[in-house]
Amino acid sequence: MSAQRTERLLNLLIALLNSRYGLRRSELREKIYAGGAASDAAFGRMFERDKNDLRDFGFDVETVTDLGWSSDDPGTTRYRIGKESNRLPDVELTPDEWTVLLLASQLWEQAALGTAAGNALRKLQAAGGLADVELPAGVQPRIKPAGQAFEDLVAAMHAQHAVRFLYLAGSTGREEERIVEPWGLGSRFGQWYLVGHDRGRGAKRYFRLSRFTSAVTVLDRESFTPPAGFNVRDELNSLPELPVSSAVVDVRSGKLLGLRKRAAAAAPDSEADAGWDRLSVPYRDAEVLGEELASYGPNVRVVSPAELSLAVQRRLANAAAFTDAPAPSYSFSHAASGKRTRNRTSEDQLKRMLQLVPFLVRNQGLPIEEVADRFGVTRQELEDDLLILICSGLPQGYPDELLDIQWEEGHVFISQSMELNRPVRFTVDEACALLTGLETLNGLPELAEGSALDSVTLKLMAAAGEEGLRAAALSGPEVGPGNSANLEVIRDAIESGSQLHLVYLSPQKDTFSERNVDPLRLYSLDNTWYFEAYCHSAAGLRNFRLDRIEDLTPTGRPVSSGITPDGGFPAKLFTPNDDDTLVTIQLTARGAGLADDYYAERTAPLPDGGLVAEIRFGNTAWLPMFVAQHGGTARILEPESLARASRDWIAAALALYGS
């Protein structure tokens, strides 16, 4: 969408909103499309496209005809948009409801739905005002989507486009191409599943995202209609959990303490070579365990079953092929930031401006930098928006018939909104982001027991309308902690300001360590919980996974004074320092989301949909494990010493399996 078209759509919208009786096509062509269409036919096509665009933005264009006249007569047909057309109803929320809603919206921090959740919150703030609330220190959950495939599937599902991808079939072990109509996407048993109609098999099928072996291609010319009343959570609840199987693996003596914690000695009649221990490891999914074992490189060798051995070898072979491929040409632009964002379009700008006007009406006098920060844009981008807005209004209107916005003193005021003062209804993405987030929070006892979660869900369902019903196509994971005892000890220590002593497993160093820590806050990714603390051994802030704590006891001493959490919400799993090693990593389209997960400083897009990212790491010794684990979606380009170490690590692991 060109900037000229953006301005035209904005003026068309204002004209149709402010016309009581409607405007004829001749009036619209003269006042809105002057010079834009060379013929009646060209104008007709342009006007129809613009009406469709306005519908996509949430405004229904009404056709009005005089009594006794045909609607096919362009001379008598008029067009308008009702002032209440598709507007978001006023939603009044209590401070407790705002707290729950903020937690739900921030579940999607690293996903495209995070942007949708932010847009929905701004609409709610414009409709009813945001209470001054403080997020609880002990309840900060997040959802970790299943890579780039998740983003692409959500977009295709909401746009009702079919998708194509390569899939490793669990029944045959073969890689096959699938074309699927995506009906729903949800998490079950710690895994993300796609539920949809498999066109090749002519039936409903379930696809585990961990078995996708290619990027997802959206067939934007292929449309479908999902089944009425489809609910992905109900569908996935009918899936039986995979049975527990047992894998026999050889582990180098003294290595892989974390794996040994959940393993047992193998049968006495099965012995490993000298320097190795033969263990029996329980598992449910060969692909999930295969990803973990591949990361251990030459420190582990799968004896049985063959399915697991092949899963490990396939990941290692893919990683080896990727590390040996020629390096791509790339360039970091000066403006490139680490966080991946798709290129902003004029369509994005118009959507933002339609949110901006009601936001400014509700929040008069905010500093322009704060407004820009709220909308995730630079000050210059915001001023570009405002310059378009103040030139928009009724066709050939007088000064009081134009949008009136001032920001000369560094604060933004709006005195004339031209009927754009109320936010548009939620999009499907926005409704899904908030309602799925609220549903996910039901897994936290401290929130599920209160009334705020139920009441805010009912209010949002009423406000979202049909878009809210479509939120049933998305279902989040369980976010409750696996070890509630440790969580309660840490939460009590945070509230009382008490120090803790812990014995902790570091899988990167493959050691247990003892340390005293001052706990600061709890948070989670799915059902994996962490706590941030000041570590006295490291003399700095560190993050600890609850499932890696071997022992946890209060010391009876108060925490050190003056230590605060690092930054705001959400907490980062690690905070890079300037003296950390800067590593250049190439990611395929499937692995592009890792740039966000590891807080890349700069990214450079590649023609195949992948990218090159610069990421800082304090400890680089584990990076060969990282490359092996991701099985051909990530490799190190620089420094060369780390790239060589990862190649050697993978080659040594493959050598254990011979040819």
Side-chain angles (χ1 to χ4, degrees), residues 159-194:
Q160 297 181 348
H161 294 315
V163 295
R164 182 175 61 240
F165 52 87
L166 294 179
Y167 189 71
L168 185 69
S171 57
T172 64
R174 293 197 302 267
E175 188 179 65
E176 304 168 350
E177 182 179 86
R178 303 292 182 94
I179 297 179
V180 178
E181 298 172 1
W183 293 349
L185 193 62
S187 180
R188 177 79 165 150
F189 312 125
Q191 292 290 311
W192 283 96
Y193 288 85
L194 167 68

Side-chain angles (χ1 to χ4, degrees), residues 345-457:
T345 65
S346 295
E347 182 179 8
D348 297 325
Q349 185 182 35
L350 182 53
K351 288 180 179 178
R352 185 170 63 244
M353 288 190 289
L354 293 178
Q355 293 180 39
L356 184 59
V357 174
F359 179 86
L360 294 176
V361 169
R362 174 69 69 162
N363 300 275
Q364 297 281 1
L366 281 180
I368 191 168
E369 289 84 0
E370 182 176 341
V371 177
D373 183 64
R374 294 280 190 96
F375 281 82
V377 296
T378 65
R379 174 169 177 159
Q380 183 59 54
E381 287 174 313
L382 177 62
E383 290 188 350
D384 291 343
D385 292 350
L386 297 177
L387 287 171
I388 292 176
L389 286 170
I390 63 173
C391 295
S392 303
L394 294 180
Q396 303 174 2
Y398 293 98
D400 61 347
E401 295 176 329
L402 300 173
L403 286 162
D404 190 0
I405 307 174
Q406 302 89 35
W407 67 96
E408 294 178 356
E409 301 299 325
H411 294 258
V412 189
F413 296 88
I414 181 169
S415 56
Q416 179 61 272
S417 61
M418 300 305 297
E419 301 298 339
L420 297 178
N421 58 319
R422 298 212 11 230
V424 184
R425 67 185 179 188
F426 290 141
T427 64
V428 175
D429 278 1
E430 292 163 357
C432 274
L434 293 186
L435 290 169
T436 304
L438 290 170
E439 180 191 44
T440 302
L441 292 181
N442 271 307
L444 296 175
E446 56 268 51
L447 293 181
E449 293 170 0
S451 61
L453 183 57
D454 290 337
S455 60
V456 74
T457 300

Side-chain angles (χ1 to χ4, degrees), residues 198-395:
D198 187 328
R199 289 184 174 177
R201 285 146 184 80
K204 177 177 68 178
R205 288 290 187 270
Y206 302 83
F207 303 92
R208 203 175 312 154
L209 267 62
S210 63
R211 289 182 173 269
F212 282 41
T213 58
S214 74
V216 173
T217 300
V218 179
L219 308 177
D220 51 16
R221 297 187 180 183
E222 302 272 354
S223 298
F224 68 93
T225 301
F230 179 82
N231 186 297
V232 72
R233 183 175 289 275
D234 291 344
E235 288 284 341
L236 294 180
N237 283 343
S238 67
L239 281 179
E241 189 168 15
L242 293 173
V244 176
S245 300
S246 181
V248 178
V249 299
D250 288 345
V251 178
R252 289 193 188 274
S253 299
K255 298 290 187 179
L256 306 185
L257 301 180
L259 183 65
R260 292 173 183 272
K261 282 183 62 178
R262 64 180 195 272
D269 59 347
S270 177
E271 295 185 2
D273 297 335
W276 295 78
D277 300 318
R278 183 153 291 182
L279 304 177
S280 175
V281 181
Y283 74 98
R284 293 185 185 272
D285 187 331
E287 289 301 312
V288 174
L289 181 58
E291 179 180 343
E292 177 188 356
L293 297 182
S295 73
Y296 298 148
N299 288 325
V300 67
R301 176 178 57 207
V302 178
V303 178
S304 66
E307 176 192 21
L308 178 62
S309 178
L310 291 174
V312 173
Q313 292 180 62
R314 186 182 64 255
R315 283 186 172 274
L316 292 172
N318 290 341
F322 192 30
T323 56
D324 290 339
S329 298
Y330 62 92
S331 175
F332 292 112
S333 67
H334 295 296
S337 62
K339 189 170 180 62
R340 292 182 306 120
T341 57
R342 68 181 180 87
N343 292 331
R344 291 190 176 116
T345 65
S346 295
E347 182 179 8
D348 297 325
Q349 185 182 35
L350 182 53
K351 288 180 179 178
R352 185 170 63 244
M353 288 190 289
L354 293 178
Q355 293 180 39
L356 184 59
V357 174
F359 179 86
L360 294 176
V361 169
R362 174 69 69 162
N363 300 275
Q364 297 281 1
L366 281 180
I368 191 168
E369 289 84 0
E370 182 176 341
V371 177
D373 183 64
R374 294 280 190 96
F375 281 82
V377 296
T378 65
R379 174 169 177 159
Q380 183 59 54
E381 287 174 313
L382 177 62
E383 290 188 350
D384 291 343
D385 292 350
L386 297 177
L387 287 171
I388 292 176
L389 286 170
I390 63 173
C391 295
S392 303
L394 294 180

Side-chain angles (χ1 to χ4, degrees), residues 30 79 96 194 223 270 280 389 509-510 516 554 571 573 594 653:
E30 177 186 354
Y79 301 90
D96 286 345
L194 167 68
S223 298
S270 177
S280 175
L389 286 170
K509 298 179 180 178
D510 204 12
N516 291 332
L573 293 183
L594 293 169

Side-chain angles (χ1 to χ4, degrees), residues 35-57:
S39 64
D40 287 341
F43 161 70
R45 290 191 297 268
M46 190 181 299
F47 181 50
E48 291 303 317
R49 284 197 303 268
D50 288 351
K51 285 196 297 180
N52 288 332
D53 284 336
L54 291 180
R55 290 190 183 97
D56 290 341
F57 289 127

